[in-house]
Amino acid sequence: MSILTKMLKKKQVQRKNDNYRQKLDPSKPEELVIQKDYSANVSRIEEELGHSADLVIRQINIGIVNGALLFIDGIVDGKGISEFVVETLMDKQISSREVDVFQYVMDQTVALGSIKTITNWNDLYNALLSGCTIILLNGYNKAISGETRGGELRSIAEPTQQLAIRGPKDAFTETLRTNTALIRRRIKSPNLWVESMKIGKVSQTDIALLYIKGIAEEEIIQEVKERLQRIDIDAIMDSGYIEQLIEEQTFTSFPTTYHTERPDVVSSQLLEGRVAIIADGSPFVLTVPALFVQFFQAPDDYYSRFDLSTSVRLLRIISFLIALIGPSLYIAATTFHQEMIPTTLAIAIAAQRENVPFPAFVEALIMEVTFEILREAGLRLPRAVGQAVSIVGALVIGQAAVQASIVSPVMVIVVSITAIANFSTPVFAMAIAARLLRFALMVMAALIGFYGIMVGLMIMAIHLCSLRSFGVPYMAPLAPFSGPNQQDVFIRYPFWAFKDRPKFIVKGNVVRTGENQKPKPPKQSSHKSDKLEENES
Amino acid sequence: METAKISGKQLFVLVVLFEMGTALLEGFPVQLKQDAWIAILAGMAGGVLLFLVYYRLFLYYPDLPLTGYVEKIIGKWPGRVIGFIYIIYFAYLAARGLRDFGELLTATIYTNTPIFFLMSILILTITYAIQKGFEVLARVGEIFFAAVYMMAVIGFFLIIFSGLIHLENLKPVLESGWRQIMEVSIRQTMPFPFGEMILFTMILPHLNDQKKAKMICISGIVLSGINITIACIINIATLGTDLFLRSQYPLLSTVSKIQLFNFIERLDVLFMIYVMVAGFIKVAIFYYAAVAGTTGLFKFKNHRQVTFPMGILILVTAMMIASNFAEHIKEGLYIIPVYMHWPLQIYFPCLLLGIAMIRNRKKQKKAPAA
């Protein structure tokens, strides 16, 4: 132990020497102040950005005052700059020395919506590098920053991961502002609050925290904020980074945060008292706290009628179970519990397996691993070769494998059903959990049959019950069981009965649907139809 | 002691699962033949009375488990000795439950697998659960409760639709006479499973709403008693007295008789799942009580320090308590009730309650004076 701790300590010492200057030291204010001489400022920026090619510096002259306009090419709206900044600046000529040029430029010249005065270098770099235009004027120790973010961005497209037959067809993009706008358009309430922060020492990624004031619990919001502020990492490339840095327990294969690319899903979860975290540059938005049952709810469930959505949801849960224990059931039944299989089927399976040289476990393992390889390859390979893989794949886990006596036909069926069942879980993160645990269960089944599967499932249940997501028990409302919260678990109640928000997340504001929402026929319609019938007769 | 808090529902679920536990598998007083179910009901009534004794004790010391308030009632050192005896008792019962479970599996499905292997896997699973804490155990109980109930209902209807029930097997009622039924219920059905409620004296302090403790526990005992009675009646009605008397596991024999549409048959899986859940909960709760008692008595900082050693102890005990199944059953029927169950479930708690009442009366008299 002591050797290990010593080694760790050594490493920590080594880790400290980063010569990268992250921010100007705020304790030395003289270094932070912008100089009065604008050309000195410009050359300092040029130097500190290493004369980067995408830094554009344009000299301007407003009558008696010289100045410069700076922006980073590519992340700004070029048309906007030339129209509303450069053009207007060139039009004005000031000759009088009485006028405060800085104030004049700010108030009357730059025709941008959002404009700010900057007095220190940290803010200046922040603004410049996030796409603002900086105007420096000679003789002033401050700068103007105009909001000109823009450039080439992906436009809003259809979701690619979480499809729905019925429902909105827009998905989040990589731009933070677009994403918050998509949610804002759906919830036009002043109570939808957006807080922002920057995470990542180098990347300075913008993070937005969304919640509905008055529905979301203050404790949860505080907890999320604290965990976000604790993050100390060089860069955030995707919300996946954040997910792994704020989750409660890392050693679990079950996701304790929910991610989605659908703004409608995020909006409805905000209304259930959850908190959303959007990271700039990621089309996947995180929502917390996430619960186990939530991963079986698809957006369609709410857009189609309750009877259909309930049965589809049950189907999804069953297919999750199949994906989890399908192959292990086959292994257990054929190796340990032949008497459980109906006799005719048992004979058929035995006949098929006669030529197969491997035990059921090896047979299943070969097929499962092959399938996983095919799946991974299908995900990574360039589109042009996709066709080839699917043909080869169909041969490998199909007729050829059977004819070569490597596997039995039943095994092919089992693997295929398992694979298809695995795709029916709405959220990929949960599907992956089943995919991983399947192998563990297969080993258990190969060791001691059904008993092994049961033990595996029990350990899984214990593990699931011990998880928490931001303080909320992961298995709620199943364990701890709560009757009134079963409105959206196995059965999706019709909306007139779907009255409450989940009470283990929301404590105060729980009313979702008002009273007397059950549709009723109008009172006189029965009369009318009777009369009609009388008339007809 | 751990500061875990459980809700009333969770306690109810634990009581029911714990009481039904292995009793559904081998708790039937088969020597009474068709009158066995009466003895179960009588045992249940006795169990409720015993629980009232435990409940009075709990009311005097609502924050302490049994091993804690024994010290307060009869003094530090004698109390510790009694507490230690109780810990051994709980650990021993955990070992018995584990052995029951192992014997059942080796007798029915895993005839070629070493019993030690089967038992060690179960005890490892339980150790994992206890490491996670009592709250997790309670939540797992809720999930298992739903699973068990669903299976029980399915099994019940399958048995009925298979046309296996012959209620005439239950006649003549009271053939063995009240005297014998009472004897059997005091010797057999009252201590096992209903008297084992003594264990919940270790768990009641965890309850968050302590006013409801009485109602929850009694309704739990009654529900589980009724369930065992129903199971017993179904077994007798399906198997007939003769087979019921000779069968090692009547419930298994009943379940394997189910046959519907030439397709639903050999439903040993249902039975097996029940065995797993029952064995798990039963052993886990005894195991937890032993761990919690040890942690409190020997002033360990954390129950996690004790969990693993206690698990090994229980496993080894389960291996050693009997050399074969017959010995194990005989111990359970004739020796354990007289030398362990009666003293620790009836005599001691009654004695403790008597002393506690006298002590507290003194206190109450003193209190107004002060």
Side-chain angles (χ1 to χ4, degrees):
Chain A
M1 274 305 271
S2 61
I3 299 170
L4 197 73
T5 44
K6 263 184 199 170
M7 280 169 69
L8 278 174
K9 266 185 191 166
K10 249 186 200 172
K11 255 199 168 166
Q12 268 170 2
V13 172
Q14 281 174 354
R15 287 179 48 132
K16 273 186 184 167
N17 63 351
D18 50 347
N19 54 7
Y20 170 77
R21 200 203 57 190
Q22 286 148 10
K23 263 185 184 174
L24 290 167
D25 194 355
S27 59
K28 295 175 196 159
E30 65 276 9
E31 271 188 32
L32 274 170
V33 179
I34 297 171
Q35 306 285 305
K36 281 196 172 182
D37 179 8
Y38 93 94
S39 54
N41 288 334
V42 169
S43 48
R44 179 174 172 177
I45 293 173
E46 265 193 306
E47 210 160 282
E48 287 196 350
L49 288 181
H51 298 277
S52 296
D54 55 352
L55 174 68
V56 178
I57 303 168
R58 193 186 191 291
Q59 304 288 338
I60 45 171
N61 176 293
I62 317 167
I64 48 165
V65 179
N66 280 326
L69 193 90
L70 297 100
F71 58 89
I72 304 276
D73 198 18
I75 58 170
V76 292
D77 174 17
K79 209 178 154 199
I81 292 178
S82 60
E83 242 174 73
F84 303 118
V85 185
V86 182
E87 246 184 70
T88 47
L89 276 172
M90 288 172 105
D91 278 355
K92 310 283 174 181
Q93 290 297 324
I94 305 164
S95 48
S96 154
R97 286 191 181 271
E98 322 275 279
V99 191
D100 182 352
V101 183
F102 190 86
Q103 205 56 43
Y104 178 77
V105 170
M106 245 183 109
D107 292 348
Q108 302 191 22
T109 317
V110 180
L112 291 171
S114 161
I115 199 159
K116 261 189 251 164
T117 313
I118 287 175
T119 52
N120 75 57
W121 283 100
N122 281 340
D123 292 350
L124 190 142
Y125 281 125
N126 249 337
L128 181 65
L129 293 170
S130 56
C132 294
T133 302
I134 305 289
I135 302 169
L136 289 162
L137 293 170
N138 199 17
Y140 292 93
N141 60 349
K142 47 191 176 178
I144 299 168
S145 122
E147 172 66 57
T148 50
R149 283 178 223 210
E152 289 298 312
L153 293 166
R154 196 164 68 89
S155 57
I156 298 171
E158 279 194 37
T160 50
Q161 303 289 317
Q162 292 166 313
L163 302 173
I165 293 185
R166 188 172 165 183
K169 292 210 181 292
D170 50 352
F172 288 121
T173 68
E174 282 79 4
T175 330
L176 180 81
R177 211 31 86 217
T178 318
N179 292 352
T180 51
L182 283 172
I183 296 167
R184 187 67 89 175
R185 280 201 189 115
R186 285 184 167 78
I187 305 174
K188 297 180 193 70
S189 160
N191 289 332
L192 174 66
W193 286 15
V194 183
E195 287 186 29
S196 75
M197 55 177 84
K198 281 191 195 303
I199 300 181
K201 285 179 290 189
V202 182
S203 72
Q204 295 287 318
T205 311
D206 287 302
I207 307 286
L209 195 70
L210 277 78
Y211 54 89
I212 297 184
K213 187 77 182 170
I215 295 180
E217 281 299 300
E218 213 49 55
E219 285 167 31
I220 294 177
I221 299 170
Q222 281 309 322
E223 182 67 36
V224 174
K225 272 191 216 164
E226 263 166 42
R227 289 194 198 177
L228 284 175
Q229 276 154 5
R230 222 168 38 214
I231 296 179
D232 180 18
I233 194 171
D234 55 351
I236 301 285
M237 289 296 128
D238 185 88
S239 56
Y241 277 44
I242 298 178
E243 174 180 345
Q244 291 169 57
L245 287 163
I246 62 170
E247 63 190 356
E248 224 131 328
Q249 203 174 351
T250 320
F251 293 102
T252 173
S253 43
F254 294 96
T256 48
T257 57
Y258 187 91
H259 63 266
T260 178
E261 53 170 356
R262 297 182 64 94
D264 52 331
V265 173
V266 172
S267 306
S268 65
Q269 293 198 352
L270 286 175
L271 286 166
E272 287 186 343
R274 292 190 172 87
V275 177
I277 303 162
I278 309 180
D280 195 28
S282 167
F284 289 98
V285 173
L286 300 180
T287 58
V288 291
L291 307 174
F292 184 68
V293 290
Q294 195 182 335
F295 291 90
F296 298 96
Q297 300 165 349
D300 285 43
D301 289 1
Y302 306 95
Y303 304 141
S304 51
R305 293 183 58 254
F306 86 98
D307 47 354
L308 182 75
S309 46
T310 299
S311 32
V312 175
R313 184 177 289 178
L314 291 178
L315 188 73
R316 246 178 258 135
I317 293 169
I318 292 169
S319 56
F320 178 77
L321 284 177
I322 293 176
L324 194 63
I325 60 176
S328 34
L329 277 184
Y330 172 80
I331 294 171
T334 49
T335 357
F336 288 92
H337 311 278
Q338 291 92 347
E339 77 278 358
M340 315 270 312
I341 313 172
T343 320
T344 17
L345 184 61
I347 292 171
I349 292 177
Q352 286 170 14
R353 283 186 46 79
E354 202 177 23
N355 294 324
V356 179
F358 307 112
F361 173 63
V362 177
E363 190 189 352
L365 203 62
I366 290 174
M367 287 308 280
E368 286 292 338
V369 171
T370 315
F371 175 72
E372 293 299 335
I373 293 172
L374 275 174
R375 186 152 121 169
E376 187 59 20
L379 212 65
R380 307 278 161 233
L381 83 182
R383 290 244 166 85
V385 264
Q387 208 84 68
V389 168
S390 54
I391 292 169
V392 176
L395 285 177
V396 171
I397 37 174
Q399 201 59 36
V402 173
Q403 277 172 359
S405 293
I406 294 173
V407 292
S408 58
V410 190
M411 191 64 232
V412 176
I413 296 174
V414 171
V415 171
S416 325
I417 289 180
T418 314
I420 294 166
N422 201 4
F423 288 120
S424 68
T425 313
V427 183
F428 190 59
M430 187 51 90
I432 283 184
R435 195 171 144 190
L436 264 179
L437 293 173
R438 180 161 74 220
F439 286 94
L441 285 174
M442 275 162 64
V443 174
M444 294 296 278
L447 274 177
I448 31 173
F450 278 130
Y451 178 54
I453 300 178
M454 273 302 288
V455 167
L457 290 178
M458 272 179 166
I459 293 176
M460 212 178 97
I462 298 165
H463 177 70
L464 280 171
C465 285
S466 73
L467 286 179
R468 276 170 183 272
S469 174
F470 289 81
V472 181
Y474 193 51
M475 288 304 274
L478 299 174
F481 185 83
S482 122
N485 284 320
Q486 299 293 320
Q487 296 171 359
D488 195 17
V489 181
F490 293 112
I491 299 168
R492 201 278 279 168
Y493 283 25
F495 273 113
W496 51 264
F498 194 15
K499 280 189 173 144
D500 304 324
R501 304 201 169 100
K503 283 178 194 154
F504 36 86
I505 299 178
V506 186
K507 298 217 168 63
N509 193 348
V510 291
V511 182
R512 187 204 299 265
T513 316
E515 294 299 316
N516 294 327
Q517 292 295 303
K518 189 178 180 180
K520 283 174 204 150
K523 272 175 189 167
Q524 295 183 339
S525 70
S526 56
H527 262 296
K528 269 184 196 166
S529 59
D530 287 347
K531 272 181 191 167
L532 274 178
E533 274 170 26
E534 274 170 26
N535 287 346
E536 275 169 16
S537 59
Chain B
M1 206 178 85
E2 209 189 344
T3 49
K5 283 285 167 208
I6 62 169
S7 71
K9 271 178 213 158
Q10 289 172 330
L11 179 68
F12 176 77
V13 163
L14 286 180
V15 171
V16 174
L17 281 179
F18 173 79
E19 292 286 289
M20 274 171 24
T22 36
L24 266 189
L25 310 175
E26 48 195 28
F28 305 122
V30 286
Q31 68 270 41
L32 289 179
K33 293 180 186 165
Q34 71 272 33
D35 292 335
W37 60 276
I38 304 174
I40 293 172
L41 284 178
M44 182 183 90
V48 171
L49 286 179
L50 276 182
F51 176 73
L52 289 176
V53 173
Y54 310 149
Y55 179 69
R56 291 298 299 179
L57 277 172
F58 164 71
L59 280 186
Y60 283 126
Y61 307 96
D63 302 327
L64 287 175
L66 175 68
T67 47
Y69 59 65
V70 173
E71 280 181 40
K72 298 238 165 168
I73 295 176
I74 57 170
K76 201 170 177 188
W77 282 105
R80 284 187 182 174
V81 172
I82 301 289
F84 189 62
I85 292 175
Y86 269 106
I87 291 169
I88 293 176
Y89 176 60
F90 294 144
Y92 176 77
L93 288 182
R96 273 201 77 80
L98 190 63
R99 181 64 180 259
D100 281 341
F101 172 81
E103 288 291 354
L104 199 157
L105 284 187
T106 40
T108 53
I109 303 167
Y110 294 98
T111 42
N112 294 323
T113 315
I115 189 169
F116 181 74
F117 180 63
L118 295 173
M119 293 196 307
S120 50
I121 286 181
L122 186 73
I123 202 84
L124 271 177
T125 314
I126 298 170
T127 309
Y128 177 63
I130 290 177
Q131 284 284 15
K132 293 278 182 189
F134 190 67
E135 279 182 11
V136 171
L137 193 62
R139 281 187 224 144
V140 171
E142 284 181 285
I143 289 181
F144 286 175
F145 184 77
V148 163
Y149 248 84
M150 228 153 69
M151 272 175 343
V153 171
I154 293 172
F156 184 71
F157 280 109
L158 285 178
I159 290 173
I160 288 180
F161 288 130
S162 314
L164 292 172
I165 298 212
H166 304 286
L167 284 176
E168 62 273 12
N169 283 343
L170 287 167
K171 288 177 187 169
V173 181
L174 282 178
E175 191 193 19
S176 15
W178 278 111
R179 199 187 149 75
Q180 205 193 343
I181 289 175
M182 280 304 150
E183 255 179 44
V184 168
S185 62
I186 287 172
R187 179 183 278 273
Q188 216 175 317
T189 52
M190 190 173 79
F192 174 79
F194 301 105
E196 286 176 346
M197 279 303 285
I198 182 78
L199 181 128
F200 277 82
T201 52
M202 301 291 292
I203 285 166
L204 282 177
H206 287 311
L207 186 63
N208 59 10
D209 189 1
Q210 302 198 324
K211 282 175 201 158
K212 290 184 186 159
K214 189 176 170 185
M215 270 311 293
I216 290 167
C217 288
I218 290 181
S219 51
I221 297 173
V222 171
L223 179 66
S224 54
I226 290 172
N227 282 343
I228 300 173
T229 312
I230 291 175
C232 183
I233 291 175
I234 287 180
N235 282 339
I236 300 168
T238 312
L239 301 174
T241 48
D242 199 34
L243 200 53
F244 179 64
L245 183 60
R246 283 187 289 115
S247 171
Q248 207 173 53
Y249 300 107
L251 193 64
L252 176 62
S253 316
T254 308
V255 170
S256 41
K257 278 203 162 197
I258 295 174
Q259 209 165 18
L260 260 182
F261 316 125
N262 284 328
F263 174 67
I264 301 172
E265 50 186 9
R266 303 279 329 188
L267 286 173
D268 303 15
V269 185
L270 277 185
F271 180 74
M272 165 107 167
I273 294 173
Y274 177 73
V275 170
M276 292 281 309
V277 171
F280 176 88
I281 292 288
K282 191 98 184 175
V283 178
I285 294 180
F286 276 129
Y287 183 174
Y288 176 77
V291 167
T294 317
T295 318
L297 197 62
F298 294 97
K299 308 258 183 311
F300 282 101
K301 274 183 208 144
N302 197 323
H303 78 280
R304 287 183 182 82
Q305 291 170 311
V306 197
T307 313
F308 200 69
M310 185 64 83
I312 292 175
L313 196 73
I314 290 172
L315 181 62
V316 173
T317 315
M319 279 308 287
M320 296 198 313
I321 45 177
S323 49
N324 54 42
F325 184 61
E327 194 182 322
H328 178 66
I329 289 294
K330 180 144 190 176
E331 275 171 7
L333 281 181
Y334 298 102
I335 299 169
I336 307 299
V338 182
Y339 296 102
M340 287 187 93
H341 285 331
W342 286 352
L344 291 172
Q345 288 179 357
I346 307 173
Y347 307 150
F348 265 138
C350 288
L351 198 69
L352 285 177
L353 182 64
I355 301 172
M357 277 169 115
I358 295 165
R359 284 205 156 200
N360 283 286
R361 192 169 293 163
K362 268 185 196 166
K363 256 187 211 168
Q364 274 170 0
K365 274 180 190 168
K366 269 182 195 171

